[in-house]
């Protein structure tokens, strides 16, 4: 829209259109409006705020008086404590090179890593190279390589999610 004498209607705008305006005039006041640090902010003292008849602070005080106290999360029943050695006993029974099967989905693979992965949370994890591309990694988690496998063949699970044993790689004719 470079013709200054045309109106917006002459461009046939329709509902849902977006108009992007660039003010190329260096003397325009719009450049001053973009700097929000120049805008004076309204500040009210706590004493003046408390004098107002209907405020959020007064509503909150009234609400908290009417509402029964909730137990604090520390005293909640059923909340597990964070254990840096979570599933260590299960992980100690698993070693790289073991064949395994995912308990829930039945996918088979080979254990490639057993240990902690700090970026995923406390406790122990098992890195698997699956026989088929049902995974979501290639052995690298958040830029750290824990094991190596082709893309989509790697999977990280908790030790409780697999069973270790004689689970040979399936042929195409075998059923799971």
């Amino acid at each position: 829209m470079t013709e200054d004498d045309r109106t917006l209607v002459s461009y046939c705008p329709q509902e849902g259109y977006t108009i992007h305006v660039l003010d190329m005039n260096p003397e325009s006041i719009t450049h001053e409006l973009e700097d929000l640090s120049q805008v004076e902010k309204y500040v009210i003292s706590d004493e003046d705020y408390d004098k107002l008849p209907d405020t959020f602070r007064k509503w909150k005080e009234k609400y908290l008086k009417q509402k029964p106290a909730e137990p604090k999360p520390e005293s909640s029943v059923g909340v597990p404590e964070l254990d840096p050695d979570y599933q260590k006993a299960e992980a100690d029974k698993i070693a790289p090179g073991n064949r395994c099967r995912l308990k829930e989905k039945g996918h088979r693979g080979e254990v490639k890593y057993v240990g902690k992965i700090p970026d995923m949370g406390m406790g122990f994890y098992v890195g698997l190279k699956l026989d088929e591309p049902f995974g979501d990694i290639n052995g690298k988690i958040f830029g750290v390589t824990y094991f190596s496998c082709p893309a989509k063949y790697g999977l990280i699970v908790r030790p409780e999610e697999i069973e270790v044993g004689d689970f040979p790689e399936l042929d195409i004719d075998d059923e799971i």
Side-chain angles (χ1 to χ4, degrees):
M1 298 187 339
T2 56
E3 301 170 27
D4 291 338
D5 59 339
R6 290 182 68 182
T7 63
L8 185 59
V9 173
S10 67
Y11 291 98
C12 303
Q14 296 181 13
E15 188 174 331
Y17 275 23
T18 301
I19 299 172
H20 183 80
V21 179
L22 292 175
D23 189 354
M24 305 302 280
N25 183 353
E27 298 172 11
S28 175
I29 192 171
T30 58
H31 299 294
E32 295 173 19
L33 300 175
E34 293 174 359
D35 184 9
L36 297 179
S37 67
Q38 303 271 343
V39 178
E40 185 179 337
K41 309 292 188 284
Y42 177 76
V43 179
I44 187 169
S45 69
D46 283 340
E47 292 129 8
D48 290 341
Y49 185 79
D50 289 338
K51 290 177 186 174
L52 294 172
D54 202 19
T55 64
F56 175 76
R57 191 179 298 159
K58 288 180 181 176
W59 173 86
K60 183 180 175 185
E61 288 173 5
K62 182 180 172 185
Y63 176 77
L64 291 175
K65 286 178 186 176
Q66 294 173 351
K67 183 180 173 198
E70 293 182 8
K72 293 186 178 183
E74 296 85 34
S75 64
S76 296
V77 177
V79 176
E81 288 190 31
L82 297 177
D83 179 10
D85 289 331
Y86 179 67
Q87 294 201 353
K88 181 178 182 356
E90 293 88 342
D92 287 343
K93 299 173 189 169
I94 302 169
N98 289 149
R99 291 290 300 168
C100 65
R101 179 177 69 185
L102 287 168
K103 289 180 181 176
E104 189 174 311
K105 297 189 178 181
H107 302 311
R108 295 179 178 198
E110 179 183 344
V111 175
K112 290 292 197 176
Y113 173 81
V114 180
K116 295 184 176 187
I117 302 177
D119 291 330
M120 290 188 65
M122 291 188 171
F124 284 77
Y125 293 88
V126 179
L128 307 176
K129 177 186 175 257
L130 300 174
D131 295 338
E132 298 180 48
F134 292 113
D136 52 12
I137 62 168
N138 64 355
K140 189 182 282 192
I141 304 289
F142 300 114
V144 178
T145 302
Y146 290 91
F147 62 96
S148 178
C149 69
K152 303 277 186 184
Y153 281 78
L155 190 65
I156 300 289
V157 296
R158 291 286 191 173
E160 67 183 2
E161 297 178 50
I162 65 168
E163 84 186 282
V164 174
D166 184 23
F167 300 107
E169 197 168 337
L170 295 175
D171 288 334
I172 197 162
D173 297 328
D174 293 338
E175 290 185 26
I176 292 180

